[in-house]
Amino acid sequence: MTDVTLREVARASGCSVATVSRVLAGTRPVGAETARKVREAAEKLGYRPNQVARALRSRSTGTVGLVLPQITNPFFPSLVREVEHALHAEGRAVLLADCDDDPEVEAARIADLLDRQVDALLIIAVDERQSRDAVAKAAAHVPLVLLDRGCGPGIADLVTTDNATGMALVLDHLVSTGRRRICFVGAAGTGSAAVERLAAYEAETKALGLHGFGPVELGDFSLEWGRAAVDRILPSRPDAVVCANDLIAIGALQRLRQLGVDVPGDIAVTGFDDIPMADLADPALTTVRQPVRALAAEAVHLLGHRLAGQNDGPRRLVRLAPELVVRASSAPRASSAEDTRSTRTPEVEQ
Amino acid sequence: MTDVTLREVARASGCSVATVSRVLAGTRPVGAETARKVREAAEKLGYRPNQVARALRSRSTGTVGLVLPQITNPFFPSLVREVEHALHAEGRAVLLADCDDDPEVEAARIADLLDRQVDALLIIAVDERQSRDAVAKAAAHVPLVLLDRGCGPGIADLVTTDNATGMALVLDHLVSTGRRRICFVGAAGTGSAAVERLAAYEAETKALGLHGFGPVELGDFSLEWGRAAVDRILPSRPDAVVCANDLIAIGALQRLRQLGVDVPGDIAVTGFDDIPMADLADPALTTVRQPVRALAAEAVHLLGHRLAGQNDGPRRLVRLAPELVVRASSAPRASSAEDTRSTRTPEVEQ
DNA sequence: TTGAAAGCGCTAACAT
DNA sequence: ATGTTAGCGCTTTCAA
């Protein structure tokens, strides 16, 4: 299977390599008849342009590096899928780098991707602080968009979910279905999801006049923490527990069932993210669905923008509004009040 | 951020580009003192080799294409992770292609990866038959290893789980814990998992003298089918239902709970794959854990072998034995018989 | 509109 | 052990 080169197509079609290149890449006007001959010859020989050679010469590989903490985190596969499809629709390919949740690995992978001359980077940072250096350095070389997780201000464009809106949706829903003794199980740490969801919870409960009731327990984004947290909050007899992500919520569901607490009869439980398991939990989990496709589309759009030459210009922060998915875990007990709050703005850009 | 080239390192270190190349690539012996100077200069200038140029010249991109049906299939993320790590450990990068479960998309992505000069392909085929052409064509160009799913005989190396062993482990376990009225919920179709797991179930039940009891229901590998199948098998009053994968099993668990059937009290349920949800189901699902890391390692090993020159030689089929993970969904009811069967061979190669 | 020629940054013969 | 040189396959000036 010897590969056919441009030169051979040129010979077969009786014109120069330059002309063949122009026809096939469509960069410059070419005579109709010549173009036909070239295409015919290319077709007949089964010519396929060598993207590596093209990349070397044109200084563009048509490749984007996608760097993420851990593909096994259940929230990521759908995001990867959407990013991959969006990029492929633009003719780009995805170099995948899984960082094993380790900032040092992340730095190494980013460096490797740059060596491979990716045109741009799409990064879901491992850690708000520890990833910062590597990300900032990379951003100096290629267009770079952060996805899902912030990494300090002004480093690069960031596309993420509007956590505040998500929390507001949850709390509105709980209050409008008669819950009042609400508490929160979140994550400690400096990650944007942990910080923003907690802050939003506190701001919103205050706004709703619920402040001062429930315990706020902070651990990590894990099932185990969800289980453990239940034992901590139960003594205060809540009627709803808002969890900072689905894993925590599913852990909470498990422990509540084990203790014989009825969900949603005694306590409503809500999550955040809408990972595939949320729908399979028993009872199925009410949660906030991140706008995965839109996040991917927006991130890819921003990359395109930067790639199209505007790699200066101010950094953008794009927050996309999530959507509340009401399932059994927050079904009203008996009578339900109506929802009195207005809808949130769907998108904020600043 | 102007990139430093080999030429500049050569000038700075006072020797030729060839010498610098040899030092940095380690291809040929170089004088110790010269090497030191070169490395020093490279370090000082922050030189990073341009992998695209290197690839063009050396005809090797150090890149492997990973083609899969759908990254959102819950069995794949862990496989992707292990493959990615195994390849990275060899200094290779992964170009990811998600095919959206569409063989036409798959063919297009494979072609694109070949245009990008991947050194090799690792493919989880979308469909046993419909993927065959594209896979065979690609195998003529680069080393290619199939993972998880067969694609017809003799097309390429294949690394997969030993479904027969898995089924035997399940049935041995059920029988040794006193189950006798066993039935099977599987998938129709020609995929190797569907076919092999069904065949293994039938062979093993026959071997165990259980043949002739239970219904065998075939649908697809989905939750919905698992739910629906329960209604079909319940009339025959089974005491165990063996499912061809975890999604089916989880669907079955959901429906059984809905119907008030006690698992494992009345009926034991088992799955296959050990996706993350299996552990979170309620009751937690007894299942067959695919040897994900070993599958990835073996596939990468085989690729290495083919890349190292032996791209002729017979196609290999490597089957790796899975492991039974006993959880609550198959706990014995009262008294349990002991396991009388011998252990299976851990690996078969043919 | 087309062709000739000069590289992109690197590696691999071939010399020395 | 090191330097010189010729490309890898393509795009892109620069001329015609």
Side-chain angles (χ1 to χ4, degrees):
Chain A
M1 272 323 207
T2 306
D3 280 350
V4 182
T5 71
L6 207 55
R7 188 195 233 87
E8 302 174 56
V9 177
R11 194 168 322 151
S13 63
C15 47
S16 74
V17 290
T19 302
V20 176
S21 170
R22 294 193 266 249
V23 171
L24 268 30
T27 40
R28 296 216 158 246
V30 166
E33 174 59 12
T34 321
R36 199 191 49 72
K37 277 195 311 197
V38 166
R39 265 188 265 276
E40 203 165 72
E43 171 87 5
K44 202 185 75 195
L45 296 176
Y47 171 74
R48 314 251 39 188
N50 181 324
Q51 300 296 342
V52 171
R54 171 174 288 185
L56 178 60
R57 180 62 234 230
S58 65
R59 319 192 126 291
S60 159
T61 54
T63 277
V64 170
L66 176 59
V67 182
L68 44 71
Q70 276 255 58
I71 182 74
T72 50
N73 176 325
F75 173 60
F76 293 146
S78 61
L79 202 49
V80 170
R81 176 178 184 280
E82 297 299 337
V83 164
E84 205 268 355
H85 286 216
L87 285 171
H88 189 75
E90 300 187 343
R92 303 187 196 284
V94 174
L95 273 167
L96 182 75
D98 180 298
C99 302
D100 219 8
D101 265 333
D102 181 339
E104 291 188 28
V105 172
E106 182 180 52
R109 306 313 280 281
I110 289 174
D112 179 62
L113 289 170
L114 290 176
D115 289 349
R116 290 178 191 276
Q117 310 293 121
V118 293
D119 290 345
L121 284 170
L122 219 44
I123 300 183
I124 306 175
V126 167
D127 184 274
E128 172 107 10
R129 285 179 306 197
Q130 294 178 274
S131 298
R132 200 165 172 179
D133 250 36
V135 168
K137 237 172 247 162
H141 290 270
V142 293
L144 188 158
V145 172
L146 289 167
L147 195 51
D148 186 52
R149 305 184 184 184
C151 203
I155 296 282
D157 290 336
L158 168 61
V159 180
T160 185
T161 293
D162 188 346
N163 287 307
T165 293
M167 268 302 154
L169 289 170
V170 164
L171 287 166
D172 287 359
H173 163 68
L174 290 174
V175 167
S176 74
T177 51
R179 313 279 175 173
R180 289 296 179 277
R181 305 177 58 82
I182 300 175
C183 62
F184 182 76
V185 179
T190 57
S192 51
V195 170
E196 292 175 12
R197 291 173 194 177
L198 171 60
Y201 171 81
E202 301 204 306
E204 200 64 18
T205 46
K206 191 172 295 177
L208 290 167
L210 297 167
H211 210 58
F213 162 69
V216 167
E217 297 288 343
L218 301 182
D220 56 34
F221 283 121
S222 75
L223 219 71
E224 292 68 33
W225 164 237
R227 293 197 201 106
V230 163
D231 296 304
R232 302 217 197 180
I233 59 171
L234 229 39
S236 53
R237 310 211 126 280
D239 61 10
V241 43
V242 172
C243 303
N245 82 347
D246 288 345
L247 284 179
I248 295 175
I250 292 170
L253 286 179
Q254 291 179 339
R255 180 67 180 144
L256 287 168
R257 160 189 300 282
Q258 200 172 45
L259 295 172
V261 178
D262 181 43
V263 175
D266 300 326
I267 300 185
V269 174
T270 67
F272 208 112
D273 289 345
D274 196 29
I275 62 177
M277 288 164 199
D279 190 39
L280 306 184
D282 187 54
L285 185 66
T286 291
T287 189
V288 175
R289 176 179 297 160
Q290 297 214 37
V292 175
R293 167 168 275 154
L295 287 169
E298 185 64 30
V300 169
H301 174 77
L302 250 47
L303 271 190
H305 185 74
R306 298 285 184 192
L307 281 166
Q310 338 264 7
N311 202 11
D312 35 9
R315 301 299 181 205
R316 289 174 185 230
L317 167 59
V318 180
R319 288 193 179 274
L320 299 179
E323 168 191 5
L324 183 69
V325 181
V326 177
R327 299 201 182 94
S329 73
S330 71
R333 284 151 314 175
S335 64
S336 68
E338 67 274 49
D339 189 340
T340 55
R341 297 183 55 84
S342 59
T343 319
R344 291 335 189 76
T345 65
E347 178 173 335
V348 181
E349 186 157 341
Q350 70 183 32
Chain B
M1 269 328 207
T2 305
D3 280 351
V4 182
T5 71
L6 206 55
R7 189 195 232 87
E8 302 174 56
V9 177
R11 195 168 321 150
S13 63
C15 47
S16 73
V17 288
T19 302
V20 175
S21 171
R22 293 193 268 250
V23 171
L24 268 29
T27 40
R28 296 216 158 247
V30 166
E33 174 60 11
T34 320
R36 201 192 48 71
K37 276 194 309 196
V38 167
R39 265 187 263 274
E40 205 165 71
E43 170 88 4
K44 202 185 75 196
L45 297 175
Y47 170 74
R48 313 253 39 186
N50 179 324
Q51 299 296 342
V52 171
R54 172 175 286 185
L56 179 60
R57 180 64 235 231
S58 66
R59 319 192 127 299
S60 158
T61 54
T63 278
V64 170
L66 177 57
V67 181
L68 44 70
Q70 277 256 57
I71 182 74
T72 49
N73 176 325
F75 172 59
F76 293 145
S78 62
L79 201 50
V80 169
R81 176 178 184 278
E82 296 300 336
V83 164
E84 204 268 356
H85 286 214
L87 285 171
H88 189 75
E90 299 188 344
R92 302 187 197 285
V94 174
L95 273 167
L96 183 75
D98 180 298
C99 301
D100 219 8
D101 264 334
D102 180 340
E104 291 188 30
V105 172
E106 183 180 52
R109 308 311 280 284
I110 290 174
D112 178 62
L113 290 169
L114 290 176
D115 289 350
R116 290 179 191 277
Q117 311 293 120
V118 293
D119 289 344
L121 285 170
L122 220 44
I123 299 183
I124 306 176
V126 166
D127 183 275
E128 172 105 12
R129 284 181 304 197
Q130 294 178 272
S131 298
R132 201 165 171 180
D133 250 36
V135 168
K137 236 171 247 163
H141 290 271
V142 293
L144 188 159
V145 173
L146 289 166
L147 195 50
D148 186 51
R149 305 184 184 183
C151 202
I155 297 281
D157 291 337
L158 167 63
V159 180
T160 185
T161 293
D162 188 346
N163 288 307
T165 293
M167 268 302 155
L169 289 170
V170 165
L171 287 166
D172 287 1
H173 163 67
L174 291 174
V175 166
S176 74
T177 52
R179 313 279 174 173
R180 290 295 180 276
R181 304 177 58 83
I182 300 176
C183 61
F184 182 76
V185 179
T190 56
S192 51
V195 170
E196 291 174 14
R197 290 173 195 177
L198 171 59
Y201 172 81
E202 300 205 308
E204 199 65 18
T205 47
K206 192 172 292 179
L208 289 168
L210 297 169
H211 210 58
F213 162 70
V216 167
E217 297 289 343
L218 301 182
D220 57 34
F221 282 121
S222 74
L223 219 70
E224 291 69 31
W225 165 238
R227 292 197 200 105
V230 163
D231 296 303
R232 301 218 197 179
I233 58 172
L234 229 38
S236 53
R237 309 210 126 281
D239 61 8
V241 43
V242 172
C243 302
N245 81 347
D246 288 345
L247 284 179
I248 294 175
I250 292 169
L253 286 179
Q254 291 179 339
R255 180 67 181 145
L256 287 167
R257 162 190 299 281
Q258 200 171 45
L259 295 172
V261 177
D262 181 43
V263 176
D266 300 325
I267 301 186
V269 174
T270 67
F272 208 112
D273 289 346
D274 197 28
I275 62 178
M277 290 164 197
D279 191 38
L280 306 184
D282 187 56
L285 185 66
T286 290
T287 190
V288 176
R289 176 180 297 159
Q290 297 213 37
V292 175
R293 168 168 273 154
L295 287 169
E298 185 65 30
V300 169
H301 174 76
L302 250 46
L303 271 190
H305 186 74
R306 298 286 185 191
L307 280 167
Q310 338 264 9
N311 202 11
D312 36 8
R315 302 299 182 206
R316 288 175 186 230
L317 167 60
V318 179
R319 288 194 179 274
L320 299 179
E323 169 191 4
L324 184 69
V325 181
V326 178
R327 299 201 182 93
S329 73
S330 71
R333 285 151 311 175
S335 65
S336 69
E338 67 274 50
D339 188 340
T340 54
R341 297 182 55 85
S342 60
T343 317
R344 292 333 188 82
T345 65
E347 179 174 335
V348 182
E349 185 159 341
Q350 69 184 34

